[in-house]
């Protein structure tokens, strides 16, 4: 996710000026996290966002009430709006960071932060959330992201074994089951060999997208699948695909 998409998520979730919202929450978060983690997160965020995670401040162990109070003071807003700001930035962080990096950051925060971070930790099992993550990562509209998600998942189900499709059906949003079953039916459940170029061509045809757009959208879908399933399941999935697929998913 680039800086523009990060701020778009903040704007959508908070309803305020995204620059102010991001700055006030990340400055407060930098005071709450250990310095080493702050540096690590800065390396993983877009440069314009990373600058708001200020380094060199003293580490403090304050609770969620104090966190919200500091955001409210910095932004000049009431507590209710400050809570909304915090939730919005944590949600944007969940889109910008890899799941493992986000988990490390949230692990430093005590239980009373959960009302602020629940949007960030919400599972991608729900289709709307799945599509939002694809849209954020690809810089696409929700409509384009939904169509691409269905096209990519149908093609993926055509490419892998029927047993692996069953595993995905159990872990992905229920609304994706019909397209997964349709893809499996195309190959008779045996998995049809195809290189990445052919895979992307089929996605482009089914999503009515150009070649470059199909690549970006497919990458966003694969990364979001990783969010939605267990690490073991994603590893099993990649084991059935040539290396070039894994490289796309981690590009």
């Amino acid at each position: 996710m680039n800086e523009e998409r990060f701020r778009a998520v903040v704007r959508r979730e908070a309803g305020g000026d995204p620059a102010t919202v991001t700055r006030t929450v990340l400055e407060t978060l930098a005071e709450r996290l250990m310095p080493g983690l702050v540096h690590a997160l800065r390396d993983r965020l877009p440069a314009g966002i990373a600058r708001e995670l200020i380094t060199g401040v003293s580490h403090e162990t304050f609770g969620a009430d104090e966190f919200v109070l500091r955001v409210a003071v910095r932004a000049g807003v009431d507590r209710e709006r400050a809570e909304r700001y915090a939730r919005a930035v944590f949600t944007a962080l969940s889109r910008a960071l890899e799941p493992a990096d986000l988990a490390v950051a949230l692990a430093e925060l005590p239980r009373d932060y959960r009302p602020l971070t629940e949007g960030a930790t919400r599972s991608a099992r729900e289709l709307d959330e799945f599509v939002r993550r694809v849209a954020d990562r690809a810089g696409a509209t929700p409509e384009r992201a939904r169509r691409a998600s269905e096209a990519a998942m149908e093609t993926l189900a055509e490419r892998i074994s029927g047993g692996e499709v069953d595993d995905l059906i159990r872990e992905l949003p229920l609304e994706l089951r019909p397209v997964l079953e349709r893809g499996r039916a195309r190959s008779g459940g045996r998995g049809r060999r195809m290189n990445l170029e052919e895979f992307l061509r089929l996605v482009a045809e089914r999503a009515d997208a150009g070649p470059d757009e199909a690549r970006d959208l497919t990458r966003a879908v694969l990364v979001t699948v990783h969010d939605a399933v267990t690490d073991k399941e994603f590893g099993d999935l990649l084991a059935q695909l040539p290396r070039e697929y894994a490289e796309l998913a981690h590009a």
Side-chain angles (χ1 to χ4, degrees):
M1 176 186 285
N2 60 27
E3 180 179 349
E4 180 183 357
R5 296 304 303 168
F6 188 102
R7 296 195 188 279
V9 172
V10 171
R11 182 185 298 110
R12 184 185 68 216
E13 299 291 331
D17 172 49
T20 298
V21 175
T22 301
R23 174 180 53 79
T24 56
V25 175
L26 291 185
E27 284 183 3
T28 308
L29 185 61
E31 294 170 343
R32 181 58 182 79
L33 298 178
M34 294 290 289
L37 181 54
V38 171
H39 282 284
L41 292 179
R42 282 171 60 93
D43 290 340
R44 290 162 174 76
L45 290 170
I49 303 302
R51 284 194 294 269
E52 308 290 5
L53 270 173
I54 299 172
T55 59
V57 297
S58 299
H59 168 61
E60 303 177 62
T61 55
F62 47 84
D65 286 342
E66 176 65 16
F67 188 98
V68 171
L69 175 60
R70 294 188 185 198
V71 172
V73 170
R74 284 188 164 114
V77 297
D78 60 24
R79 177 182 178 82
E80 182 178 357
R81 184 166 290 274
E83 288 179 349
R84 188 174 177 181
Y85 283 9
R87 289 194 296 269
V89 173
F90 278 118
T91 297
L93 286 172
S94 76
R95 309 292 200 274
L97 296 170
E98 292 299 322
D101 295 325
L102 178 68
V104 170
L106 296 184
E108 282 207 15
L109 303 176
R111 185 182 299 270
D112 66 334
Y113 277 77
R114 287 186 179 178
L116 304 179
T117 62
E118 62 185 356
T121 57
R122 184 171 57 235
S123 170
R125 292 172 67 90
E126 298 177 6
L127 182 60
D128 286 347
E129 176 67 9
F130 188 99
V131 170
R132 277 197 294 271
R133 294 188 183 205
V134 172
D136 289 342
R137 285 172 169 136
T141 65
E143 293 77 14
R144 294 297 294 152
R146 182 179 293 269
R147 186 166 184 176
S149 296
E150 293 176 350
M153 295 311 299
E154 178 180 347
T155 310
L156 183 65
E158 184 178 354
R159 175 62 182 79
I160 60 180
S161 70
E164 187 61 30
V165 174
D166 288 336
D167 291 342
L168 289 178
I169 287 173
R170 284 193 289 270
E171 297 201 29
L172 289 173
L174 290 176
E175 295 91 338
L176 288 175
R177 180 169 184 165
V179 297
L180 288 166
E181 291 180 336
R182 186 161 64 240
R184 178 174 57 192
R186 287 180 183 275
S187 68
R190 293 183 295 275
R192 183 166 76 84
R193 295 177 65 86
M194 63 180 85
N195 60 29
L196 182 59
E197 182 178 356
E198 183 180 0
F199 185 98
L200 293 175
R201 179 181 60 77
L202 287 174
V203 172
E205 290 176 358
R206 291 166 181 169
D208 191 23
D212 291 340
E213 184 185 17
R215 175 177 287 273
D216 291 343
L217 287 166
T218 298
R219 177 193 174 277
V221 171
L222 290 174
V223 175
T224 305
V225 168
H226 193 187
D227 285 353
V229 304
T230 63
D231 287 342
K232 180 182 182 303
E233 176 55 34
F234 194 69
D236 290 345
L237 172 63
L238 292 183
Q240 294 199 14
L241 301 171
R243 184 187 299 272
E244 56 187 346
Y245 285 78
E247 291 172 350
L248 177 65
H250 293 98

